[in-house]
Amino acid sequence: MALLPTLRSRNQNLADPFAAFRRELDSFFSDYNRGLPTLTEVGAQMPVLNIAETKDAIEITTELPGVDEKDINVSLDGNRLVIAGEKKQESDRSEKEWHVVERSYGAFHRAIALPFEPSDASIEAHFDKGVLHLKINKPTEVAKAKKTIDIKAGPPKGAAPDAA
């Protein structure tokens, strides 16, 4: 019987001597952020979104679960579309002994730079089942301005030839 400590326990599989080391590393990294405040705990939160473009509009969907539509503010600042609001806490945290708190509360803010400056009337907003749907109609000059550029073979005119 060896007197020196070993990385392996007696009932561990001897075919994989690094399993205990791997478990220790996994445990270290899973506990790394435990006890540190996260951004969502202090209220700074950015909602996730999807942005799609059609010929006539830009469509944005944003997930805002647990938020009432009255707590959402959509505004324009030049060509920037700003989505802001607040998810309110449902109950007082001091009333209970909490074991796990993963849901976030607090203010959120997201700004999207658009490739044009939309008019107020060109934006439609709908909120359904925790998802904000925005449709921003493109101005007619932007929708028609799409142009295809021809690509020519060879170096550009006036370019020095490669000295290879």
Side-chain angles (χ1 to χ4, degrees):
M1 186 159 92
L3 298 175
L4 295 174
T6 179
L7 287 175
R8 290 177 275 149
S9 66
R10 300 212 191 296
N11 55 2
Q12 187 179 15
N13 183 359
L14 296 176
D16 189 4
F18 296 103
F21 182 66
R22 199 174 307 124
R23 275 195 311 276
E24 288 296 320
L25 279 177
D26 290 344
S27 174
F28 172 77
F29 286 113
S30 68
D31 292 340
Y32 181 72
N33 286 331
R34 190 169 291 169
L36 298 175
T38 64
L39 288 176
T40 56
E41 288 175 355
V42 293
Q45 184 179 18
M46 270 192 355
V48 296
L49 53 85
N50 291 344
I51 301 175
E53 184 175 4
T54 65
K55 185 180 85 165
D56 300 322
I58 292 179
E59 298 173 355
I60 300 172
T61 54
T62 307
E63 293 182 355
L64 300 169
V67 179
D68 285 336
E69 63 267 6
K70 65 179 173 43
D71 296 325
I72 303 168
N73 181 23
V74 178
S75 60
L76 275 175
D77 182 13
N79 72 327
R80 289 176 15 122
L81 180 73
V82 179
I83 303 166
E86 184 175 4
K87 181 177 178 185
K88 301 202 169 133
Q89 192 168 352
E90 295 172 355
S91 65
D92 185 16
R93 285 181 142 182
S94 63
E95 296 173 2
K96 302 173 186 169
E97 182 179 343
W98 292 90
H99 297 282
V100 177
V101 178
E102 294 181 345
R103 296 178 64 197
S104 61
Y105 301 96
F108 57 87
H109 180 272
R110 191 76 190 255
I112 302 112
L114 300 171
F116 56 87
E117 191 168 326
S119 67
D120 295 342
S122 67
I123 300 176
E124 295 176 27
H126 300 275
F127 190 66
D128 183 42
K129 297 180 184 173
V131 179
L132 177 65
H133 301 267
L134 299 168
K135 182 178 179 184
I136 303 104
N137 293 318
K138 294 178 184 178
T140 54
E141 62 271 6
V142 172
K144 292 180 182 178
K146 189 172 181 179
K147 197 189 287 190
T148 302
I149 308 298
D150 292 329
I151 301 173
K152 299 173 182 136
K157 290 183 181 180
D162 284 341

